[in-house]
């Protein structure tokens, strides 16, 4: 699974995601339960944990499978698609796009998604129409992601030494918005990728023992990613930083 966070940023995915429910040719404005992305089937239905799991899994899937074109063009591609009563993805179209290579890359990653757990209305599986924005950005070493600045110790750029990460364990991770306001961290994930194999650790915003163990096992050549969920004005946003360990 290929990580490409330096090229792809999901700007306010949860806040921007919208959906409509279709059942018996009637348009409903809400559902009892939105669909869940794969990988969270064993979690409690309707729980905050399952919804967060679904959101994280969706973002991770797109980040791992989107293949952005080599281009200086940046911006958002909005994708419309349906998830039917069986959880299958259907009728994927561009709502608003960029150039054809970007539109095709966004269409492909959504079209190739596996089945979801379908939406529910009054205990019955129903068909939903969803809209997801995918942002294409230029490759850079900025500390900014999705309009937020992630600060952790003295880590800068995209290449880091293991010793620098170990020193950072003694300092808190902070996220600030474009105005410099510090954001509340709702969920924090560390992920290590080595030769196509992944290891991760989660917390509610603080570096815990499992995260410390993961950092201590980092080796040269590993990809190390911080994925953070923050809350702003009652809405949830994802931001991330990706590093290569030297």
């Amino acid at each position: 699974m290929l990580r490409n966070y330096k090229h792809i940023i999901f700007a306010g995915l949860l806040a921007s995601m919208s959906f409509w429910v279709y059942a018996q040719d009637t348009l409903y404005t809400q559902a009892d339960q939105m669909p869940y992305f794969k990988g969270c089937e064993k979690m409690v239905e309707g729980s905050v944990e399952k919804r967060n799991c679904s959101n994280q899994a969706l973002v991770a899937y797109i980040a791992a499978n989107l293949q952005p074109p080599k281009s200086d063009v940046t911006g958002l591609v909005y994708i419309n698609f349906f998830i039917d009563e069986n959880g299958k993805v259907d009728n994927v179209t561009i709502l608003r796009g960029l150039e054809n290579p970007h539109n095709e890359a966004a269409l492909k990653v959504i079209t190739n998604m596996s089945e979801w757990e379908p939406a529910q209305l009054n205990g019955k599986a129903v068909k939903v129409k969803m809209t997801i924005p995918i942002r294409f950005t230029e490759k850079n070493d900025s500390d900014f992601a999705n309009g937020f600045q992630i600060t952790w110790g003295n880590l800068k750029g995209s290449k880091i030494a293991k010793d620098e990460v170990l020193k950072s364990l003694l300092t808190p991770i902070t996220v600030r918005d474009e105005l410099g306001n510090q954001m509340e961290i709702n969920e924090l994930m560390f992920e290590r990728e080595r030769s196509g194999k992944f290891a991760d650790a989660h917390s509610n915003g603080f570096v815990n023992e499992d995260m410390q163990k993961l950092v201590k096992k980092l080796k040269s050549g590993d990809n190390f990613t911080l994925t953070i969920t923050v809350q702003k004005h009652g809405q949830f946003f994802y931001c991330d930083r990706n590093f290569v360990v030297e």
Side-chain angles (χ1 to χ4, degrees), residues 152-169 215-222 224 241-246:
W152 190 26
N154 294 317
L155 299 184
K156 298 290 184 181
S158 60
K159 294 183 178 181
I160 56 174
K162 179 179 178 179
D163 288 346
E164 293 175 338
V165 189
L166 290 172
K167 291 178 183 178
S168 297
L169 289 174
V215 167
K216 291 175 182 179
K217 292 180 180 179
L218 289 175
K219 294 183 179 180
S220 177
D222 286 351
F224 177 58
R241 291 277 309 273
N242 180 252
F243 304 94
V244 176
V245 181
E246 295 184 305

Side-chain angles (χ1 to χ4, degrees), residues 3-91:
R3 293 286 173 186
N4 214 355
Y5 288 109
K6 294 191 288 297
H7 297 273
I8 309 156
I9 298 179
F10 304 96
L13 176 62
L14 300 185
S16 303
M17 185 185 298
S18 58
F19 72 104
W20 299 265
V21 179
Y22 290 81
Q24 297 178 346
D25 298 324
T26 302
L27 175 64
Y28 295 87
T29 58
Q30 61 182 0
D32 296 331
Q33 179 176 285
M34 284 183 65
Y36 292 106
F37 195 72
K38 65 175 184 176
C40 309
E41 293 80 6
K42 295 182 179 180
M43 305 187 78
V44 177
E45 293 291 321
S47 66
V48 173
E49 291 77 13
K50 183 164 185 174
R51 180 56 58 199
N52 287 339
C53 173
S54 174
N55 294 333
Q56 292 275 12
L58 173 60
V59 172
Y61 163 79
I62 297 176
N65 292 279
L66 183 65
Q67 298 180 355
K70 295 181 179 179
S71 171
D72 293 332
V73 175
T74 63
L76 285 165
V77 175
Y78 287 84
I79 303 292
N80 275 348
F81 62 99
F82 287 86
I83 299 174
D84 69 16
E85 296 86 346
N86 297 311
K88 293 182 179 180
V89 175
D90 188 28
N91 195 20

Side-chain angles (χ1 to χ4, degrees), residues 1-242:
M1 186 165 60
L2 175 64
R3 293 286 173 186
N4 214 355
Y5 288 109
K6 294 191 288 297
H7 297 273
I8 309 156
I9 298 179
F10 304 96
L13 176 62
L14 300 185
S16 303
M17 185 185 298
S18 58
F19 72 104
W20 299 265
V21 179
Y22 290 81
Q24 297 178 346
D25 298 324
T26 302
L27 175 64
Y28 295 87
T29 58
Q30 61 182 0
D32 296 331
Q33 179 176 285
M34 284 183 65
Y36 292 106
F37 195 72
K38 65 175 184 176
C40 309
E41 293 80 6
K42 295 182 179 180
M43 305 187 78
V44 177
E45 293 291 321
S47 66
V48 173
E49 291 77 13
K50 183 164 185 174
R51 180 56 58 199
N52 287 339
C53 173
S54 174
N55 294 333
Q56 292 275 12
L58 173 60
V59 172
Y61 163 79
I62 297 176
N65 292 279
L66 183 65
Q67 298 180 355
K70 295 181 179 179
S71 171
D72 293 332
V73 175
T74 63
L76 285 165
V77 175
Y78 287 84
I79 303 292
N80 275 348
F81 62 99
F82 287 86
I83 299 174
D84 69 16
E85 296 86 346
N86 297 311
K88 293 182 179 180
V89 175
D90 188 28
N91 195 20
V92 183
T93 59
I94 298 289
L95 175 63
R96 191 173 75 204
L98 297 171
E99 295 183 344
N100 282 338
H102 299 76
N103 296 342
E104 291 172 0
L107 283 170
K108 182 177 180 180
V109 76
I110 299 299
T111 300
N112 290 340
M113 286 193 298
S114 299
E115 294 180 1
W116 293 51
E117 291 183 57
Q120 300 285 326
L121 185 64
N122 297 325
K124 180 180 179 181
V126 290
K127 184 177 183 178
V128 297
K129 181 181 181 182
M130 301 185 66
T131 302
I132 289 181
I134 297 177
R135 180 181 291 276
F136 293 86
T137 68
E138 292 184 68
K139 179 178 181 180
N140 60 72
D141 291 334
S142 172
D143 294 343
F144 285 85
N146 299 11
F148 300 98
Q149 184 181 33
I150 300 172
T151 303
W152 190 26
N154 294 317
L155 299 184
K156 298 290 184 181
S158 60
K159 294 183 178 181
I160 56 174
K162 179 179 178 179
D163 288 346
E164 293 175 338
V165 189
L166 290 172
K167 291 178 183 178
S168 297
L169 289 174
L170 301 175
T171 62
I173 296 172
T174 60
V175 181
R176 297 185 183 275
D177 65 11
E178 64 277 5
L179 299 178
N181 301 311
Q182 186 166 332
M183 310 303 297
E184 177 185 355
I185 297 178
N186 290 85
E187 186 173 7
L188 174 65
M189 180 174 76
F190 284 7
E191 184 176 72
R192 183 199 70 214
E193 185 270 328
R194 179 186 300 159
S195 301
K197 295 182 179 180
F198 290 81
D200 59 53
H202 305 255
S203 79
N204 60 354
F206 300 93
V207 177
N208 59 27
E209 185 176 348
D210 289 339
M211 291 174 164
Q212 294 178 22
K213 290 179 180 179
L214 186 148
V215 167
K216 291 175 182 179
K217 292 180 180 179
L218 289 175
K219 294 183 179 180
S220 177
D222 286 351
N223 286 303
F224 177 58
T225 302
L226 307 181
T227 302
I228 303 172
T229 306
V230 295
Q231 188 172 2
K232 182 178 182 180
H233 303 314
Q235 299 176 338
F236 292 92
F237 297 81
Y238 285 100
C239 48
D240 51 65
R241 291 277 309 273
N242 180 252

